[in-house]
Amino acid sequence: MALEARLRELDNRHRKLDRTIEEELTHPASDDIRIAELKRQKLRLKEEIEGLRAKVH
C-alpha cells in the first residue's frame, strides 16, 4: 500500500512539473536554464516511477 501511495505522489509531482514547464514555455522571456532543470527533475521522477511500477508488477 505504501508503494502505491508513493506512486500516486510521484505521478502528481510529475504532472505538476509538466504544467510548470508548459507555463514557462508560454512566457516570451522564459528562462532556458530553469526549463532545462525542470525537465531533468521530470525525467528523474519518470525514472523513479517506472522503477517502482516494475516492482509492483
Side-chain angles (χ1 to χ4, degrees):
M1 192 67 174
L3 193 58
E4 291 171 4
R6 178 73 176 146
L7 276 170
R8 281 192 302 275
E9 175 192 344
L10 293 173
D11 277 333
N12 287 336
R13 287 174 49 196
H14 188 267
R15 280 192 298 276
K16 184 178 179 183
L17 274 172
D18 197 37
R19 287 190 303 266
T20 303
I21 291 167
E22 290 299 320
E23 200 173 289
E24 280 290 322
L25 290 171
T26 63
H27 295 99
S30 60
D31 183 355
D32 291 339
I33 295 172
R34 174 167 162 68
I35 292 170
E37 177 56 31
L38 291 169
K39 287 182 177 183
R40 277 192 292 277
Q41 289 176 23
K42 186 178 165 192
L43 180 59
R44 282 192 298 270
L45 281 173
K46 181 180 177 185
E47 290 170 347
E48 187 175 350
I49 290 167
E50 288 174 353
L52 289 174
R53 284 195 176 133
K55 288 180 183 179
V56 170
H57 300 296

